[in-house]
Amino acid sequence: MSANQVQPKLIIHGGAGGHIRSEKGEAVVRQALHSVVEEVYDLLAYGASATDAVILGCRLLENQPIFNAGTGSVLQSDGQIRMSAGLMDGSKQRFSGIINVSRVRHPIELAKFLQGENDRVLSDYGAFELLRELHVPKYDPLVEIRLQEWMQERNENFDKKMAGVVAEQALIHEPRKGTIGVVALDKNGKITAGTSTGGKGLERIGRVSDSAMPAGNYADASAGVSCTGIGEEIMEECLAAKIVIRVTDGMSLADAMEKSMSESRSRNRDLGAIAIAADGTISWGKTSEVILAAYHDGKQIGDTLNWNNQEELIGYQ
Ligand code: GLY
């Protein structure tokens, strides 16, 4: 590493929700998260940009059928899958996103394409037109367990608030809320954040997720944040942008995360966030029972799967 280069850092998440039910469940989620961290950190260590690392991380997590993004996405109330993804390059302070897109393997790739466009957030019909324009092959992200989950909910008249955080009933106690996200700091000190989701699941047609909004995914030169949880509550907290702006205004990332989570807790929000600051601090926070996150601090991989102390300092370098 040359003198003006920094140690790359990486954190990813696979959603937030209820406690993991069993050691086996924890091992499955840990293995899935750690394998992504390993592959993406290798790329960062090799000198890749934060944006390239985030795109790779989101693609790998979208490929994992247990998480609610890309393959394994939840079904909406009409039985259709509509996915959303947001990408923010902190060094350019540029946001792009795709909202409620169907029949595509990697929604994050569309957000990536839109980084270079004047019109950077597209939804529904526009998203479909973009797929056609780019000749993106059709792909069905449905997995059997999500279909079963939807059929059961249909029998119960869609009483549940959200669908399962992971597509495996055995893994999570009272499964809810899923999304994936990646935040990276590259060797040149640049930060990017990316988030991708199948949404809340069982929602009304046309409902918009936080993931392709600055409330759910935000970065600038000082920090980057990706959120998970109930989109409406993340929007009402304007969570990602709030944490980042607190850091930009001089607060440490740990304090910004703690303050934002404590405000969210006081309003009974159900959410979580992962973050990295330009000084190399990695942080995470949650009001949900667990956040499924893993990180690489330059020396080793760690995760939050056993982490349950709300008073613990949620930020370190
Ligand atoms: N955070 C994902 C959603 O509510 O759509």
Side-chain angles (χ1 to χ4, degrees):
M1 226 160 29
S2 72
N4 51 4
Q5 289 192 323
V6 302
Q7 178 75 58
K9 301 280 171 93
L10 175 70
I11 185 162
I12 70 170
H13 72 77
H19 284 303
I20 296 180
R21 275 178 200 257
S22 64
E23 277 178 28
K24 183 178 162 251
E26 192 173 297
V28 170
V29 173
R30 179 170 286 121
Q31 208 280 327
L33 292 174
H34 284 215
S35 69
V36 173
V37 167
E38 231 167 83
E39 190 168 340
V40 177
Y41 196 82
D42 278 354
L43 190 72
L44 273 175
Y46 189 69
S49 71
T51 298
D52 285 348
V54 166
I55 298 295
L56 174 66
C58 287
R59 282 177 61 102
L60 293 170
L61 289 162
E62 285 173 342
N63 275 346
Q64 292 268 359
I66 61 167
F67 298 128
N68 174 22
T71 304
S73 285
V74 297
L75 278 61
Q76 300 195 341
S77 54
D78 63 344
Q80 297 298 310
I81 291 175
R82 297 180 186 87
M83 300 164 286
S84 301
L87 182 68
M88 187 142 185
D89 180 329
S91 63
K92 297 184 184 140
Q93 202 153 340
R94 181 169 277 241
F95 185 92
S96 59
I98 198 86
I99 295 173
N100 287 331
V101 68
S102 298
R103 302 242 156 217
V104 62
R105 188 187 286 265
H106 291 300
I108 195 67
E109 285 289 350
L110 298 173
K112 178 187 166 194
F113 172 81
L114 290 170
Q115 278 279 309
E117 297 292 290
N118 288 331
D119 303 327
R120 289 192 285 280
V121 183
L122 294 183
S123 74
D124 307 83
Y125 182 67
F128 173 74
E129 281 295 300
L130 182 65
L131 287 179
R132 209 172 48 84
E133 232 175 272
L134 299 177
H135 304 287
V136 178
K138 275 195 185 146
Y139 176 76
D140 183 358
L142 180 68
V143 297
E144 181 61 26
I145 195 155
R146 292 302 191 187
L147 181 60
Q148 285 169 16
E149 188 177 68
W150 184 84
M151 306 246 283
Q152 181 167 343
E153 288 301 322
R154 192 179 61 164
N155 291 339
E156 291 164 16
N157 207 20
F158 300 115
D159 276 347
K160 228 187 231 168
K161 221 163 137 200
M162 280 184 101
V165 64
V166 293
E168 176 54 83
Q169 308 284 356
L171 295 187
I172 301 281
H173 178 63
E174 279 187 35
R176 307 223 324 250
K177 302 165 288 290
T179 291
I180 64 93
V182 180
V183 184
L185 170 72
D186 67 26
K187 276 189 172 171
N188 294 316
K190 294 181 173 173
I191 299 171
T192 296
T195 306
S196 182
T197 188
K200 233 172 11 174
L202 318 174
E203 61 266 68
R204 214 178 235 272
I205 302 169
R207 182 259 181 187
V208 174
S209 161
D210 61 291
S211 301
M213 288 186 188
N217 187 82
Y218 196 77
D220 67 8
S222 62
V225 174
S226 165
C227 299
T228 174
I230 297 181
E232 286 72 6
E233 299 185 4
I234 295 166
M235 289 173 210
E236 286 155 2
E237 293 297 324
C238 201
L239 188 62
K242 182 163 66 177
I243 296 169
V244 169
I245 287 161
R246 282 181 163 152
V247 176
T248 312
D249 286 349
M251 202 179 263
S252 73
L253 178 59
D255 287 350
M257 182 66 82
E258 182 55 48
K259 186 171 168 59
S260 307
M261 287 299 148
S262 134
E263 288 166 353
S264 296
R265 219 168 278 126
S266 73
R267 288 186 274 269
N268 293 320
R269 305 301 200 192
D270 201 346
L271 46 77
I274 58 168
I276 296 183
D279 66 4
T281 306
I282 297 174
S283 182
W284 59 89
K286 63 175 173 70
T287 62
S288 313
E289 286 175 10
V290 288
I291 181 163
L292 310 178
Y295 53 90
H296 202 306
D297 62 7
K299 293 190 194 88
Q300 59 194 16
I301 296 179
D303 64 58
T304 64
L305 302 186
N306 288 324
W307 177 69
N308 198 30
N309 183 357
Q310 291 184 349
E311 303 310 315
E312 197 176 327
L313 185 67
I314 40 182
Y316 76 95
Q317 279 175 279

